[in-house]
Amino acid sequence: MDGTSTQGASRRILVIEDNEDIATTLADLLELEGHEPILAGSGPEGLDAARRHRPDLVICDIGLPGMDGFEVAAALRANADLRSTVLVALSGYGRPEDKEKAVAAGFDEHLTKPVRFEDLEALLAR
Protein backbone atom coordinates (compact mmCIF):
# COMPACT_ATOMS: atom_id res chain seq x y z
CA MET A 1 0.00 0.00 0.00
CA ASP A 2 1.42 3.30 -0.99
CA GLY A 3 -0.44 5.66 1.36
CA THR A 4 -2.74 7.05 -1.31
CA SER A 5 -6.22 5.86 -2.08
CA THR A 6 -6.37 3.50 -5.01
CA GLN A 7 -9.03 5.59 -6.74
CA GLY A 8 -8.14 8.96 -5.26
CA ALA A 9 -11.45 9.27 -3.43
CA SER A 10 -11.83 8.79 0.28
CA ARG A 11 -14.57 6.38 1.29
CA ARG A 12 -16.34 5.84 4.57
CA ILE A 13 -15.80 2.15 5.33
CA LEU A 14 -17.48 0.28 8.15
CA VAL A 15 -15.56 -2.73 9.48
CA ILE A 16 -17.75 -5.10 11.50
CA GLU A 17 -15.34 -7.53 13.17
CA ASP A 18 -15.29 -8.93 16.70
CA ASN A 19 -11.57 -9.75 16.67
CA GLU A 20 -10.01 -6.48 17.82
CA ASP A 21 -6.60 -7.20 16.26
CA ILE A 22 -8.11 -7.87 12.84
CA ALA A 23 -10.42 -4.85 13.10
CA THR A 24 -7.68 -2.40 14.06
CA THR A 25 -5.28 -3.76 11.44
CA LEU A 26 -7.91 -3.33 8.72
CA ALA A 27 -8.72 0.17 10.02
CA ASP A 28 -5.04 1.12 9.96
CA LEU A 29 -4.64 -0.14 6.38
CA LEU A 30 -7.76 1.69 5.25
CA GLU A 31 -6.57 4.90 6.89
CA LEU A 32 -3.20 4.59 5.16
CA GLU A 33 -5.11 4.41 1.88
CA GLY A 34 -6.90 7.66 2.73
CA HIS A 35 -10.24 6.19 3.77
CA GLU A 36 -12.36 6.82 6.87
CA PRO A 37 -12.76 3.55 8.80
CA ILE A 38 -15.52 3.03 11.34
CA LEU A 39 -15.33 0.01 13.65
CA ALA A 40 -18.06 -2.13 15.19
CA GLY A 41 -17.55 -5.32 17.20
CA SER A 42 -20.89 -7.11 16.81
CA GLY A 43 -23.74 -7.51 14.35
CA PRO A 44 -26.12 -5.17 16.22
CA GLU A 45 -23.37 -2.55 16.69
CA GLY A 46 -22.59 -2.80 12.99
CA LEU A 47 -26.21 -2.23 11.97
CA ASP A 48 -26.44 0.77 14.27
CA ALA A 49 -23.18 2.21 12.89
CA ALA A 50 -24.35 1.64 9.30
CA ARG A 51 -27.61 3.49 9.97
CA ARG A 52 -25.81 6.38 11.66
CA HIS A 53 -22.82 6.78 9.31
CA ARG A 54 -24.18 5.49 5.98
CA PRO A 55 -20.87 4.00 4.82
CA ASP A 56 -19.88 3.60 1.20
CA LEU A 57 -18.64 0.09 1.90
CA VAL A 58 -19.09 -2.45 4.71
CA ILE A 59 -16.56 -5.19 5.46
CA CYS A 60 -18.43 -7.66 7.65
CA ASP A 61 -17.16 -10.75 9.44
CA ILE A 62 -19.48 -13.75 9.12
CA GLY A 63 -19.05 -15.10 12.67
CA LEU A 64 -20.21 -12.23 14.89
CA PRO A 65 -21.78 -11.99 18.33
CA GLY A 66 -25.40 -10.86 18.51
CA MET A 67 -26.21 -11.74 14.90
CA ASP A 68 -24.07 -13.28 12.21
CA GLY A 69 -22.83 -11.59 9.05
CA PHE A 70 -25.57 -13.16 6.95
CA GLU A 71 -28.21 -11.58 9.21
CA VAL A 72 -26.36 -8.25 9.02
CA ALA A 73 -26.32 -8.44 5.20
CA ALA A 74 -30.05 -9.21 5.09
CA ALA A 75 -30.84 -6.29 7.40
CA LEU A 76 -28.69 -3.88 5.37
CA ARG A 77 -30.26 -5.02 2.09
CA ALA A 78 -33.74 -4.55 3.62
CA ASN A 79 -32.96 -0.91 4.54
CA ALA A 80 -33.76 1.37 1.59
CA ASP A 81 -31.11 3.90 2.69
CA LEU A 82 -28.38 1.22 2.77
CA ARG A 83 -29.49 -1.10 -0.03
CA SER A 84 -26.84 0.17 -2.48
CA THR A 85 -23.97 0.04 0.04
CA VAL A 86 -21.22 -2.31 -1.13
CA LEU A 87 -21.08 -5.32 1.21
CA VAL A 88 -17.95 -7.42 1.61
CA ALA A 89 -18.02 -10.69 3.55
CA LEU A 90 -14.98 -11.44 5.71
CA SER A 91 -14.52 -15.08 6.63
CA GLY A 92 -11.97 -17.65 7.63
CA TYR A 93 -13.56 -19.92 5.03
CA GLY A 94 -12.69 -19.33 1.40
CA ARG A 95 -13.98 -22.36 -0.48
CA PRO A 96 -16.03 -21.65 -3.61
CA GLU A 97 -19.22 -22.73 -1.81
CA ASP A 98 -18.47 -20.28 1.05
CA LYS A 99 -18.15 -17.46 -1.46
CA GLU A 100 -21.36 -18.53 -3.21
CA LYS A 101 -23.22 -18.58 0.11
CA ALA A 102 -22.00 -15.04 0.88
CA VAL A 103 -23.15 -13.73 -2.51
CA ALA A 104 -26.52 -15.48 -2.10
CA ALA A 105 -26.91 -13.76 1.29
CA GLY A 106 -26.49 -10.32 -0.30
CA PHE A 107 -22.75 -9.69 -0.18
CA ASP A 108 -21.11 -8.17 -3.26
CA GLU A 109 -17.63 -9.53 -2.54
CA HIS A 110 -15.86 -12.03 -0.29
CA LEU A 111 -12.47 -11.73 1.45
CA THR A 112 -10.82 -14.66 3.20
CA LYS A 113 -8.91 -14.24 6.46
CA PRO A 114 -6.13 -13.45 6.79
CA VAL A 115 -6.76 -10.64 4.34
CA ARG A 116 -3.86 -10.06 1.98
CA PHE A 117 -2.92 -6.43 1.30
CA GLU A 118 -3.17 -7.08 -2.43
CA ASP A 119 -6.72 -8.39 -2.11
CA LEU A 120 -7.79 -5.35 -0.10
CA GLU A 121 -6.19 -2.99 -2.62
CA ALA A 122 -7.89 -4.80 -5.51
CA LEU A 123 -11.24 -4.58 -3.73
CA LEU A 124 -10.87 -0.84 -3.17
CA ALA A 125 -9.90 -0.34 -6.81
CA ARG A 126 -13.23 -1.79 -7.99
Side-chain angles (χ1 to χ4, degrees):
M1 301 208 151
D2 61 11
T4 60
S5 175
T6 308
Q7 291 208 330
S10 177
R11 294 184 187 108
R12 183 175 295 138
I13 301 174
L14 173 60
V15 176
I16 308 172
E17 169 61 64
D18 60 326
N19 181 307
E20 190 175 332
D21 291 336
I22 293 171
T24 56
T25 298
L26 277 172
D28 289 346
L29 291 172
L30 292 168
E31 250 179 1
L32 285 172
E33 285 292 302
H35 300 291
E36 178 188 340
I38 302 157
L39 299 179
S42 71
E45 284 177 27
L47 281 179
D48 183 53
R51 290 179 186 123
R52 282 185 290 120
H53 297 285
R54 294 199 177 166
D56 302 301
L57 185 138
V58 174
I59 300 173
C60 183
D61 186 23
I62 297 299
L64 290 168
M67 62 193 310
D68 69 25
F70 299 121
E71 294 170 302
V72 171
L76 291 173
R77 290 296 183 227
N79 183 318
D81 293 331
L82 299 167
R83 195 168 290 139
S84 65
T85 302
V86 176
L87 300 181
V88 180
L90 183 62
S91 173
Y93 300 102
R95 299 172 304 179
E97 55 266 31
D98 299 316
K99 294 177 181 186
E100 290 170 10
K101 185 176 179 183
V103 170
F107 287 98
D108 299 297
E109 301 280 344
H110 183 281
L111 290 174
T112 304
K113 294 178 188 178
V115 176
R116 296 175 346 134
F117 299 137
E118 299 83 7
D119 294 340
L120 186 60
E121 283 183 316
L123 172 75
L124 295 172
R126 291 193 284 271

